[in-house]
Structure formats: structure tokens, C-alpha cells
Amino acid sequence: MIRTRFAPSPTGYLHIGGVRTALFCWLFAQRNAGKFILRIDDTDQERNVQDALKPILDGLKWLGIDWDEGPEVGGPFGPYYQSQRTELYQAAAEELIRRGAAYRDYATPEELQVERDAAQAEKRDFVYSRRWMAETPADAARFEAEGRTFVVRLRMPREGTLTIDDHIRGRVEFQWAREQDHVVQRADGSCLYHLANVVDDHAMRISHVIRAEEHLSNTPRQIFMIEALGYERPEYAHLPFVAEPGSKVKLSKRKLDKYLKDRDFAKLVEHGRQIAQAIGAETKLDEFNPVVVDFYREVGFLPDAVVNYLALLGWSLDDKTEHFMPSDLVKHFSLDRVNNSPASFDPVKLQAFQDRHMQQLPMAQKTVMVLPYLQRAQLVPAPAGADVEAKVTRVLEAAGDRIKIAGDVLDFAEFFTADDELPYDEKAFDKRIAKAADAPALLAKFREVLAGCDPFDAPTLDAALHQFVEAEGVGIGQIIHALRVATTGKGVGLGMFDTMAILGRQSCLTRIDRALARK
RNA sequence: GCCCCCUUCGUCUAGUGGCCCAGGACAUUGGAUUCUCAGUCCAAAGACAGGGGUUCGACUCCCCUAGGGGGUACCA
């Protein structure tokens, strides 16, 4: 049975790099009819674990990365919160000592530092002297009599080679002598990450440890514990980093300021911010930024598009296939096609995937997706009636590829605002109506044509306008722009005839009159 | 410092000794189409980090150098 896990810390947000790791774990489990386990690494004992966890669970769910065992769903190997498993870790630390693979160390941090400094001065690697190692209860008693406290250290081998066959890196060798006697239990009795990790992976029967490359160097000490404890060694796959845009440095939420200097990144943030403002959402830079998964949900990306992009950040099927739905990924994913060099996160390319997925989204789903944005912007009533939904669909149909993320509907607010409240783009109004020589006259005249147009649909309107300009002996450009500004308040928009048809005769006439009167 | 990993167009990547004077996608630039915008279509430009080997033949194998990244904590 293939079992993989993702073990996030409850940090309050789901990082784009982290979620890529989760995705690969999930995909691998799915592909092999295995289980994907979510384990919460809350050993730091933050007080609001649940609050800090929620965005992470929500993000995973939104993307469709569901877990077979973990928070909310439980499972046979719980609890799935590391803070609730401390006795297990302490017992393991005891066991390690009992088996001679670890020892109580009574050195003070200062004493250790002296040894370290000495090693450095002599330009040799630091190797702990084990001078304050308690080998017997008598030693321990003696040290304790001196008022010392202990930590538990691993008694690492000082010779030999460790070989790891990593599914992505291939064969990697480490010299045991380079490893330190790492601490696994603190003086206060709490246990460190690596121990907890080993214990939980074993207890939860994890067969494949799929994690970021930063853990590769930490693997030897974990394997040491695994073998000392008599556990079975899992398979390993160390994923390359997700790096900053245009770089090979690991992506980090902290460095948003830096990323904002990237033009494309800044544009995305700005775009998202406008949408968020229109719908009254929070835009604190901390959570509202493209390094955090929540950002994409807020502004209306398609989860499938994000998953598609993320999957291709380090994995590929072949030299041409790029469009994948989650089920396709599940069908084709394999660890051997994960490449081993860091991939930099490119928001522009993510957008391209979004565009493609959006283009293929059935209209009914698109409507459902877009509706909440109109509602939150108060352009449409909260339970939308069938007529409203029908209108939204018509706008969507006319908009075609222009709506790239759900929040983009708000670019077409003119279809939902009252005629007498329609705002004008002053520049466009000036150019197309106020300062356009014959446009107002043409507009007034065409208004009468419109009044008699029947049926009031796009083809009829199209024919009517063409007939009109021909009769007047003018080019279509001389009136159509003015018509657009008059009916929508804007210089750019959907096809003119679709626009008028959706607006309906009455709105068109009212708006034209209003624009003409304004001039 | 030491250890480990990585290195193909700006970016994501294909390539597992001849199919490659290196293929695709995004981005870029030109052109076409159109009532604006979005799109669509066509075209162009653009890479094997460097140096040594091995081989009849290296993007592919080996070594070295350089660059980048990660680890080296009583962080995770």
C-alpha cells in the first residue's frame, strides 16, 4: 500500500511552494491507489492552531487535494496533530537511549561552543567530544549533582557511508563522519522535528516520503534513527524547489516587496487588488499576494488551472502535452518524470493556464463562478433570480475570452448599473462625444432608428447601423465609438451589437439621451 | 569552512550516444483580421555554463572549473 503524507505547520497561509509538494504527494498516492495523509506539524504549540490551520485546509480543499486521513476526517493512525503525540516521541527518545543509539548529554551550550570554536581555529570539522555524555546512571547522577540538565543526542556513527536511492536525485552518498550528534530531545523534554517526523512516518505507515529538496541533507540523521529503532526505511523523493520569479532562490512569502519589483508580479497584484476592493475583500499584503494560494481563490482563478500549472512546475509528461485536468494528472503522474532542478514561479504562465481553462469552462459553470463577484460588488441581488442569471450568461457569452478570471466580470459592471447612475470614463467621453464633431448629431439621429428597431437583437442592430452609416455617407467609426461611450460609459467593451441587445432598447435610448444631454 | 544538490531559449520544459546546425509552451517582436478591447491566424528572434577527456559520433557518459541553491541549530 502506497502511503504519502504532507505535514504543514499551521502558519496561517498556504504557500505556493508547499502546495506543490502536497500536490505531488497527493498525485502519487492517487496514481497508485494509495492513501494521502495530512499531518499537522504544530509542535511549536502556537495558541491558535485551528485559526492558523483553516486557510491551509481551505486551500487544499479548494484545489481538490483531499486527504484520506488527517484533520476533520480522522483515520486509523491518529491523532494527526503532532502536538498530541508527544509521548510517542519521548518514548522513542527513551528507546533510542536504551538501544545505545542516543545518549543523555549534560554539556552546557557554552561548553559546546568552546569545542566548536576550537575546531574552527584548527580548521577541522567539529566533532563533539562526548565529554558530558552520561554512559551510566552514575554519570548522570554526578552531572546532575553539578546542577546540569541534559538533552538527548544521537550517537552518530563516525565512519562509513550511507547510500540513499532517491527517486528523483538518484543515488546519493553521505559520509557518516560528517554528521553531528544531533539533538533529538530538548532539555525541557520536548522533542525535535526530525525525531517526531521519523516516529510519525513509521506509525502512520508512510511508504514514500515526498518532500522538498531542503530535507535531503537531513535524511541521514533520520535514517540513522529509523534503523536504530528497527523501523522500515521508506522510499524517498526529494522535490526541487519552487523558486522566485526569474531566479533559483527558494520562493518565500517574506520577500514579497522584492517580487513586487517584477513587473508581471506587480501587475497581477494590482489586478487582484482592484477586484478585491470592488468586492470588499481584505487586501492585506500578508495574505493577499500571489505566493499564497488564497490569493487565487479570492480573485477568481480556477482551481484546475492552478493545479495544472503547479503540476508542470517540475513534472512533465512529454514534449507537447500541457493541458491537464486533475484526472489526467492522476492518470499520468510518476516520480521518474519529475525533474531535478529548481523551477521558478512565473505568474504570467500561470495566467496563461488560467486563460485556457477558462476558455474551456462550460457556460453554466462560468455563470455560477462569476455570480458571487457581482453579488459581493452589489451589482446583482444576493439570491439572484433566473432572469439575472440569464442576463449574466448573456454577458458572459458576449464577453468570450475577455473574462480571464472570475473577478473580471466586474469590468462589465455597465450591464448591471442603473441607467441614470452609469459612470463615464471622462477621457473617452471627451474624445468620442464632447469633442467629436459630428458624433452627437449622428447619435441623435441613430437613436430614432434604434427606437424602431425590431427585433432588438444583435443581427438586426448590426444591419440597422450599417444601413444607417451607408445612408448617411459616413464611416462606421464615426458613430460607433460615440454609441459605445453613450451606452456603456466606456471607450472599450464588448461587441457593440451584443452590448445593445443585452442592454435592451429602453436602456439604450435612455442612456443615449442622458449622454447627449450631458454634453 | 565542510557536506549535499542543481546547471538546455527570458521562463516552464522535451531530449537517456547518431532521429537535434536541439522540439513544444508562455512571454517578446513583426504582420493579418476587426467597431474598441479580448481573441484568432501567420511569421520572426531566442538555449545545450566553461574546459578537458571517452567515442567513428556527444545536450546525452567521465573528470575538473565556474555559477546557483540547500544543509550544517536545544528551527521546521
Side-chain angles (χ1 to χ4, degrees):
Chain A
M1 170 66 107
I2 301 288
R3 293 172 59 86
T4 62
R5 50 75 172 163
F6 178 57
S9 288
T11 50
Y13 61 92
L14 186 56
H15 185 274
I16 210 89
V19 82
R20 204 270 317 245
T21 302
L23 176 64
F24 282 26
C25 290
W26 180 82
L27 247 16
F28 185 71
Q30 291 282 313
R31 174 71 184 91
N32 296 287
K35 301 272 193 233
F36 172 61
I37 288 88
L38 189 61
R39 181 171 77 217
I40 306 307
D41 180 358
D42 57 348
T43 46
D44 280 352
Q45 299 278 9
E46 292 295 327
R47 55 275 157 221
N48 295 325
V49 171
Q50 289 307 323
D51 286 354
L53 187 57
K54 188 165 185 300
I56 293 171
L57 301 187
D58 287 351
L60 291 171
K61 285 187 222 169
W62 178 65
L63 289 171
I65 301 173
D66 43 11
W67 50 100
D68 299 292
E69 297 170 24
E72 296 179 0
V73 301
F77 303 104
Y80 292 89
Y81 290 85
Q82 293 194 309
S83 61
Q84 295 169 26
R85 316 182 113 251
T86 51
E87 307 78 39
L88 287 168
Y89 311 144
Q90 281 157 355
E94 279 302 312
E95 184 61 16
L96 249 9
I97 294 171
R98 206 179 61 74
R99 294 181 179 224
Y103 58 89
R104 293 195 172 84
D105 178 46
Y106 285 86
T108 63
E110 295 72 32
E111 286 160 346
L112 230 37
Q113 195 53 48
V114 169
E115 289 201 2
R116 260 190 252 270
D117 292 346
Q120 196 175 2
E122 291 167 41
K123 288 196 170 166
R124 57 175 169 77
D125 291 343
F126 166 66
V127 180
Y128 177 42
S129 66
R130 294 179 182 165
R131 201 175 137 193
W132 290 277
M133 165 173 77
E135 293 211 77
T136 63
D139 292 339
R142 180 162 49 82
F143 288 135
E144 271 163 35
E146 292 173 24
R148 292 171 179 273
T149 55
F150 70 88
V151 297
V152 176
R153 277 182 194 282
L154 257 18
R155 188 179 205 141
M156 298 292 280
R158 292 199 167 163
E159 55 178 30
T161 304
L162 169 70
T163 303
I164 300 170
D165 286 309
D166 187 279
H167 276 106
I168 294 169
R169 308 281 137 195
R171 175 157 295 195
V172 183
E173 294 193 340
F174 293 90
Q175 298 305 313
W176 282 119
R178 304 273 176 221
E179 293 290 320
Q180 299 299 320
D181 281 2
H182 301 286
V183 173
V184 293
Q185 184 172 19
R186 300 184 181 93
D188 69 3
S190 63
C191 292
L192 261 38
Y193 166 79
H194 295 288
L195 207 214
N197 201 55
V198 160
V199 169
D200 288 341
D201 282 349
H202 170 256
M204 296 179 181
R205 314 273 198 277
I206 301 305
S207 66
H208 293 253
V209 172
I210 301 172
R211 62 188 3 171
E213 185 195 324
E214 59 190 317
H215 292 283
L216 184 57
S217 303
N218 295 327
T219 309
R221 77 181 83 160
Q222 296 185 202
I223 288 182
F224 174 76
M225 286 187 268
I226 286 167
E227 294 186 339
L229 258 9
Y231 296 166
E232 194 181 334
R233 196 152 133 182
E235 304 279 321
Y236 289 100
H238 286 92
L239 266 22
F241 285 111
V242 174
E244 296 176 356
S247 129
K248 297 293 181 196
V249 183
K250 188 179 153 189
L251 189 68
S252 153
K253 195 191 78 154
R254 294 284 142 68
K255 293 195 258 176
L256 185 70
D257 292 351
K258 179 178 163 195
Y259 307 154
L260 282 174
K261 293 191 182 113
D262 177 288
R263 216 180 78 245
D264 299 325
F265 213 89
K267 245 169 68 186
L268 217 207
V269 172
E270 185 46 38
H271 186 181
R273 181 161 300 256
Q274 277 170 13
I275 292 170
Q277 266 160 18
I279 61 173
E282 288 259 9
T283 56
K284 275 189 304 185
L285 214 49
D286 238 25
E287 285 100 46
F288 194 74
N289 87 59
V291 171
V292 177
V293 171
D294 235 32
F295 175 87
Y296 301 97
R297 188 179 48 176
E298 282 279 22
V299 303
F301 272 73
L302 247 10
D304 289 351
V306 177
V307 165
N308 193 165
Y309 172 69
L310 252 22
L312 258 22
L313 217 51
W315 176 85
S316 65
L317 176 64
D318 53 32
D319 58 340
K320 36 188 63 95
T321 320
E322 295 223 89
H323 189 89
F324 292 92
M325 288 303 272
S327 58
D328 304 320
L329 291 170
V330 167
K331 192 153 76 194
H332 295 294
F333 185 80
S334 76
L335 251 21
D336 11 291
R337 290 205 60 87
V338 174
N339 71 266
N340 51 13
S341 51
S344 66
F345 175 71
D346 179 0
V348 174
K349 185 130 187 182
L350 204 197
Q351 182 64 247
F353 278 91
Q354 167 65 17
D355 293 356
R356 227 174 314 163
H357 277 81
M358 201 66 166
Q359 282 171 10
Q360 295 187 9
L361 193 69
M363 193 50 71
Q365 287 181 44
K366 221 171 175 175
T367 303
V368 170
M369 187 183 181
V370 133
L371 215 45
Y373 288 86
L374 293 169
Q375 289 168 331
R376 289 177 71 182
Q378 295 176 348
L379 290 164
V380 140
D387 53 331
V388 170
E389 278 189 36
K391 187 177 185 184
V392 172
T393 299
R394 289 185 75 189
V395 172
L396 254 26
E397 273 163 356
D401 300 329
R402 276 167 272 230
I403 293 176
K404 299 176 187 307
I405 58 182
D408 286 344
V409 244
L410 300 173
D411 289 344
F412 305 102
E414 61 265 28
F415 290 100
F416 304 98
T417 45
D419 295 336
D420 55 354
E421 282 170 13
L422 185 74
Y424 295 100
D425 173 339
E426 293 302 341
K427 251 176 92 181
F429 189 90
D430 235 39
K431 180 174 175 198
R432 299 303 190 183
I433 296 179
K435 292 186 178 150
D438 31 347
L442 287 168
L443 206 49
K445 214 163 173 184
F446 186 62
R447 182 217 185 271
E448 299 314 318
V449 176
L450 242 29
C453 230
D454 189 63
F456 204 80
D457 60 19
T460 311
L461 293 165
D462 193 334
L465 184 64
H466 278 93
Q467 228 172 350
F468 176 77
V469 296
E470 199 169 321
E472 292 295 320
V474 297
I476 200 165
Q478 288 174 261
I479 178 172
I480 203 162
H481 300 295
L483 193 53
R484 180 185 306 286
V485 175
T487 53
T488 68
K490 297 174 183 170
V492 299
L494 307 186
M496 198 58 248
F497 308 111
D498 285 329
T499 298
M500 289 192 291
I502 295 169
L503 248 20
R505 189 198 326 269
Q506 198 47 60
S507 275
C508 288
L509 298 182
T510 307
R511 289 181 180 195
I512 290 170
D513 291 341
R514 181 166 174 254
L516 254 18
R518 186 174 194 262
K519 163 189 163 284

